[in-house]
Every structure is written in structure tokens, then in C-alpha cells.
Amino acid sequence: PPRVLAIGAMLELGPAVWKHLPAADLAADELSEYFGRLAAQRRAHPRDDLVSALVQAQAANPDQLTDAELVANLITLFNAGFVTTTHLLGNGLALVLQRPQARTALVADPELAPGYVEEILRYEPPVHFGVRLALADTEVLGVPVTAGSTVLVLLGAANRDPARFPDPNVFLPTRPDNQPLSFGGGLHYCLGAALSRVEGRLALPMLLDRFPGLALAGEPGERNQLVLRGYDHLSVTVS
């Protein structure tokens, strides 16, 4: 959706992103208004859904979650559900279709899907970096980090660390002890990690089973973004 893309454009690195600020601000205002109304509706008339659960948790612990934080988290979940999981599926489908042996193995045994999803997350993560704020003076591998400074955490690079992953540039769905950092860690671990994993584990085998002739229609396009790294489109044939 346009609002999701507008906000995502502001998350990239470099001075060129500021040209996207007006559209991102407008999108944030519109989504904030929408989720604010939705939260109010769920307070008055709860349903069996995530928004109802969050507003009930907020009511039980009002000091833990402000209205602004509630809306911000709902916007984040909304955006992530469109973009990052889409890139997980797009990046993963391209990787599998380009590797006939990997494809054949997954078709023969769909129970292998969890290993495929973890390796896709490691090899081509939908998010390549995160940003952290240092709350106190510290040191990272001999590099001083002062309080108040920002640190760019390169998740994509960590997932290719040869000290942690042997043959890191090889796509290996059967890789043992595969624990990529694609969902972050600590307090900022991705709230939607479990859902994204389930979607990938279900979707990849289902696509290959439903469309046995599924193939890439030429080379996949360029991926020019880092923070939300995936294909704008992925052309395929189904027979």
C-alpha cells in the first residue's frame, strides 16, 4: 500500500531519504488517526483480535503503554506485515527457484521448510540493518561508543560472519545450528518473528506444490534498498 511504502522509504540511509519526508509524515498521520479510532472501537466493543488484546493489556497496566506507544506499535506491525514478510517470501522463492536441487528436496519433503526459512533469513534477510541508541558510555570490540550516539547494527553482515557460519556465502537449508540475527535481539526482538516464520514455512511448500512448473521469468530485478531489502516485483511463469 502507498502509506507503507512511503514510511519505508524514510528508513533508508543517506541524505536522499529526506525528500520522502512529506509523504511519510502524511502517511504516519493518516495511519495514526486510523489506528487511534480502531483502538477506541475495540475498547468499547472488544473482539477476538490483536488490537483488543493490546488495549486490554494497556488498561490493565496503564503505566506500561501510552496511547502514542500503542498506536506506534500497531503501525509498525501493519507495515511489517506488508513489507518484511513479503520480502521473506520473494527473496526465498527466488533463491529456491534458482537452485533445482534445493527445490526438489523441499517438494519431496515439505517438513524441511523450517530449515529453508531460517537459511533464507540468514542468506537474504528482509532487513539488513537496525539502529540502536547508546544509553551509556560503552565499548564494542575496542571501539568506544559514547552515550547518546547511534550505532548501525549490520544484521546482513552478521549473518554472513564466517566465524559463526561456515561457508557463509553458500545457501544451505540443512545448515546445522542456524540462528540468524534477522529478527534482531534483546528488548527489540521482532514482535512478528513467529508469525513471519509460520507464513514462510506454509507458503513456500504450498506454492511449489500448487504450481509444479513455477519458474522465474528471467533474472530477478535489482534490490537497491538496504533496510527493507527485497524485489519490487518478481516475474514468474506457472507452466
Side-chain angles (χ1 to χ4, degrees):
R3 294 178 184 88
V4 172
L5 296 177
I7 293 175
M10 273 301 299
L11 302 179
E12 275 299 308
L13 294 176
V17 301
W18 295 108
K19 66 184 179 183
H20 302 296
L21 183 59
D25 279 345
L26 177 61
D29 287 343
E30 292 174 342
L31 289 174
S32 294
E33 181 181 354
Y34 169 78
F35 281 114
R37 290 199 311 268
L38 185 61
Q41 291 171 4
R42 293 297 187 269
R43 289 188 184 99
H45 305 287
R47 296 183 184 180
D48 183 18
D49 60 19
L50 177 62
V51 179
S52 298
L54 287 174
V55 297
Q56 290 168 1
Q58 182 193 35
N61 301 278
D63 295 333
Q64 298 297 313
L65 190 66
T66 67
D67 286 346
E69 290 170 337
L70 172 64
V71 169
N73 276 280
L74 289 172
I75 292 174
T76 299
L77 283 171
F78 176 77
N79 285 14
F82 278 104
V83 179
T84 52
T85 303
T86 299
H87 288 340
L88 165 63
L89 296 174
N91 293 343
L93 187 61
L95 286 169
V96 172
L97 293 182
Q98 290 169 325
R99 293 164 172 80
Q101 289 184 335
R103 174 187 182 144
T104 300
L106 181 57
V107 170
D109 186 2
E111 296 298 319
L112 296 174
Y116 276 70
V117 170
E118 295 307 304
E119 183 67 347
I120 291 164
L121 288 167
R122 184 197 71 82
Y123 193 84
E124 287 288 8
V127 178
H128 268 231
F129 70 83
V131 180
R132 295 291 181 264
L133 177 69
L135 299 181
D137 291 342
T138 187
E139 185 177 289
V140 179
L141 296 177
V143 179
V145 180
T146 58
S149 60
T150 55
V151 177
L152 200 64
V153 182
L154 300 178
L155 304 174
N159 285 343
R160 298 285 187 106
D161 181 0
R164 175 61 180 82
F165 300 101
D167 297 320
N169 296 323
V170 175
F171 181 74
L172 186 62
T174 57
R175 185 179 296 276
D177 189 28
N178 195 6
Q179 299 180 41
L181 293 175
S182 307
F183 290 118
L187 292 175
H188 297 284
Y189 188 75
C190 177
L191 187 59
L195 179 58
S196 288
R197 283 189 164 106
V198 168
E199 289 175 318
R201 292 169 183 176
L202 290 173
L204 282 173
M206 288 174 66
L207 275 170
L208 298 176
D209 178 65
R210 183 170 180 178
F211 302 108
L214 190 65
L216 293 175
E219 288 295 319
E222 292 292 328
R223 289 167 297 169
N224 297 317
Q225 291 186 309
L226 279 177
V227 64
L228 299 174
R229 185 171 172 82
Y231 301 106
D232 290 335
H233 61 273
L234 190 68
S235 298
V236 298
T237 57
V238 295
S239 63

